[in-house]
Amino acid sequence: QVQLVESGGGLVQPGGSLRLSCAASGSIFSSDAMGWFRQAPGKQRELVAGITSGYLTNYADSVKGRFTMSRDNAKNTVYLQMNSLKPEDTAVYYCAAGLIRTIARMTFPASWKYWGQGTEVTVSS
């Protein structure tokens, strides 16, 4: 059974930084694409960033230049470094995993097979 466990969320002031982590269990990690989604109240879940097993990355336009996703296959962990945070980044952030080979498919939540429970990020003064 694959499990994804997120950590690192919290309350931060605008302009601040947070680093989210997602630890994955199971042997599929190295061959899977990994993604970070977020969902704000009343809004649809949206892709924030994704990384393929070949280390190709994809970012939402709203976070380009501010967020960086990375993966450490030796630790079965992916990270999302979030800098210059804005109030509109407030959401529950979810980690996802799946056998996705193209960046285009990353956008759709239905493409991803496994999900974490989410970690809340609040950006507020």
Side-chain angles (χ1 to χ4, degrees), residues 37-88:
F37 282 75
R38 67 185 179 188
Q39 188 165 18
K43 294 189 176 182
Q44 291 187 336
R45 192 169 295 191
E46 63 174 356
L47 178 71
V48 176
I51 186 167
T52 67
S53 58
Y55 294 86
L56 293 176
T57 54
N58 182 34
Y59 294 95
D61 288 341
S62 59
V63 307
K64 283 180 181 176
R66 299 188 298 122
F67 291 11
T68 302
M69 185 174 182
S70 60
R71 66 188 297 161
D72 184 339
N73 286 352
K75 296 182 178 180
N76 281 9
T77 301
V78 293
Y79 305 96
L80 185 67
Q81 178 67 43
M82 305 186 295
N83 299 328
S84 303
L85 283 161
K86 304 176 181 180
E88 50 264 43

Side-chain angles (χ1 to χ4, degrees), residues 3-125:
Q3 281 191 314
L4 303 175
V5 180
E6 303 100 332
S7 60
L11 173 65
V12 63
Q13 291 187 339
S17 298
L18 281 176
R19 188 175 83 153
L20 305 183
S21 299
C22 172
S25 66
S27 60
I28 65 170
F29 180 83
S30 62
S31 62
D32 271 35
M34 300 294 296
W36 286 99
F37 282 75
R38 67 185 179 188
Q39 188 165 18
K43 294 189 176 182
Q44 291 187 336
R45 192 169 295 191
E46 63 174 356
L47 178 71
V48 176
I51 186 167
T52 67
S53 58
Y55 294 86
L56 293 176
T57 54
N58 182 34
Y59 294 95
D61 288 341
S62 59
V63 307
K64 283 180 181 176
R66 299 188 298 122
F67 291 11
T68 302
M69 185 174 182
S70 60
R71 66 188 297 161
D72 184 339
N73 286 352
K75 296 182 178 180
N76 281 9
T77 301
V78 293
Y79 305 96
L80 185 67
Q81 178 67 43
M82 305 186 295
N83 299 328
S84 303
L85 283 161
K86 304 176 181 180
E88 50 264 43
D89 294 318
T90 296
V92 177
Y93 284 70
Y94 297 90
C95 178
L99 289 172
I100 299 173
R101 296 289 182 256
T102 64
I103 288 177
R105 285 189 57 209
M106 285 185 177
T107 305
F108 308 103
S111 297
W112 300 84
K113 185 173 182 180
Y114 303 104
W115 292 88
Q117 82 289 348
T119 185
E120 190 164 1
V121 172
T122 303
V123 185
S124 175
S125 55

